[in-house]
Amino acid sequence: KQEVTQIPAALSVPEGENLVLNCSFTDSAIYNLQWFRQDPGKGLTSLLLIQSSQREQTSGRLNASLDKSSGRSTLYIAASQPGDSATYLCAAARRSNDYKLSFGAGTTVTVRA
Amino acid sequence: DTGVSQDPRHKITKRGQNVTFRCDPISEHNRLYWYRQTLGQGPEFLTYFQNEAQLEKSRLLSDRFSAERPKGSFSTLEIQRTEQGDSAMYLCASSFIGTSGAYEQYFGPGTRLTVT
């Protein structure tokens, strides 16, 4: 069974600081890993998807890295803004599990103006 | 295409009542997933479909839960005889699975269920 952990559970930073969000998974045989953003009471918005063959993926101020051997992914958000305040979730898919996603509990980020 | 939609967005019901939720996936997606999310937790898998075929039901899904995806288009999730423990956000996601592999899952806005 794939276990996905996100530490810390909550993070507060001043505006302009770079954010580093961590995700660890127990089974390195992942197919891909997705990062999502969730605003309070809302659904999930896909931010980045990293295939198992990739080391990183970038979109604007967001950069996600993947290290399968250590079972870790990191989401970097450059120059944080108050609008980045949300919960960020990572989820891993495995071919052996028919691509169903196993989620972490998320990291809730507050960016202080 | 406007993405995955879910209806209703919120549902308040009394314990013992039946409720039904609907999910409309992205039109060209052949996979549809249902997840459940409780406060402070990540979503947990409930069930999924490949076209109209239901492939798996999680052990989280008791006999009071049933899901359908007629004609491989929209899907419904029904909960019979609701209990307070059913209160959660129910999320639907869709994706495309093909010979070249699996693509990312796109989520709907969710249905927030409150059982009083």
Side-chain angles (χ1 to χ4, degrees):
Chain A
K1 182 184 175 185
Q2 178 73 278
E3 302 286 346
V4 180
T5 305
Q6 293 184 251
I7 295 173
L11 190 59
S12 178
V13 298
E15 183 176 5
E17 189 166 302
N18 295 333
L19 282 164
V20 181
L21 306 179
N22 299 307
C23 172
S24 61
F25 45 92
T26 53
D27 186 349
S28 62
I30 63 170
Y31 181 80
N32 60 39
L33 188 137
Q34 276 187 259
W35 281 93
F36 295 90
R37 169 183 172 140
Q38 186 173 35
D39 293 295
K42 306 294 184 182
L44 278 63
T45 300
S46 181
L47 297 175
L48 289 168
L49 178 143
I50 312 177
Q51 298 291 352
S52 61
S53 58
Q54 297 177 312
R55 296 281 294 183
E56 65 178 324
Q57 192 69 256
T58 298
S59 176
R61 294 185 294 116
L62 276 59
N63 175 276
S65 66
L66 176 64
D67 184 344
K68 289 196 304 178
S69 61
S70 65
R72 293 181 183 179
S73 177
T74 304
L75 178 67
Y76 302 89
I77 303 177
S80 61
Q81 305 167 358
D84 294 328
S85 298
T87 296
Y88 293 84
L89 297 125
C90 67
R94 291 176 294 158
R95 190 191 302 270
S96 63
N97 198 29
D98 208 13
Y99 313 110
K100 299 189 292 290
L101 292 177
S102 298
F103 280 87
T107 296
T108 299
V109 171
T110 302
V111 180
R112 308 186 303 271
Chain B
D1 196 330
T2 56
V4 180
S5 61
Q6 292 186 246
D7 185 70
R9 298 289 303 277
H10 304 275
K11 179 70 176 180
I12 300 174
T13 191
K14 293 184 178 180
R15 185 165 52 94
Q17 297 294 306
N18 299 344
V19 295
T20 300
F21 310 142
R22 176 179 170 125
C23 171
D24 287 89
I26 294 172
S27 57
E28 62 268 24
H29 286 181
N30 52 12
R31 277 280 175 98
L32 188 147
Y33 303 83
W34 285 99
Y35 295 86
R36 180 170 66 188
Q37 185 180 28
T38 53
L39 201 61
Q41 300 299 315
E44 293 178 295
F45 165 78
L46 293 179
T47 189
Y48 75 125
F49 295 83
Q50 174 80 18
N51 299 311
E52 68 276 9
Q54 186 173 21
L55 299 184
E56 183 182 340
K57 291 175 62 174
S58 164
R59 57 180 172 77
L60 295 174
L61 225 57
S62 75
D63 291 343
R64 297 183 297 104
F65 289 72
S66 63
E68 294 182 335
R69 191 184 183 197
K71 301 180 182 178
S73 55
F74 70 92
S75 176
T76 58
L77 179 67
E78 180 182 16
I79 309 174
Q80 296 182 328
R81 304 181 303 281
T82 52
E83 301 173 356
Q84 288 188 323
D86 297 330
S87 296
M89 174 77 89
Y90 290 83
L91 294 162
C92 175
S94 72
S95 70
F96 180 78
I97 306 288
T99 54
S100 57
Y103 295 84
E104 66 188 290
Q105 291 188 27
Y106 292 90
F107 280 75
T111 294
R112 168 74 65 189
L113 174 66
T114 302
V115 181
T116 62

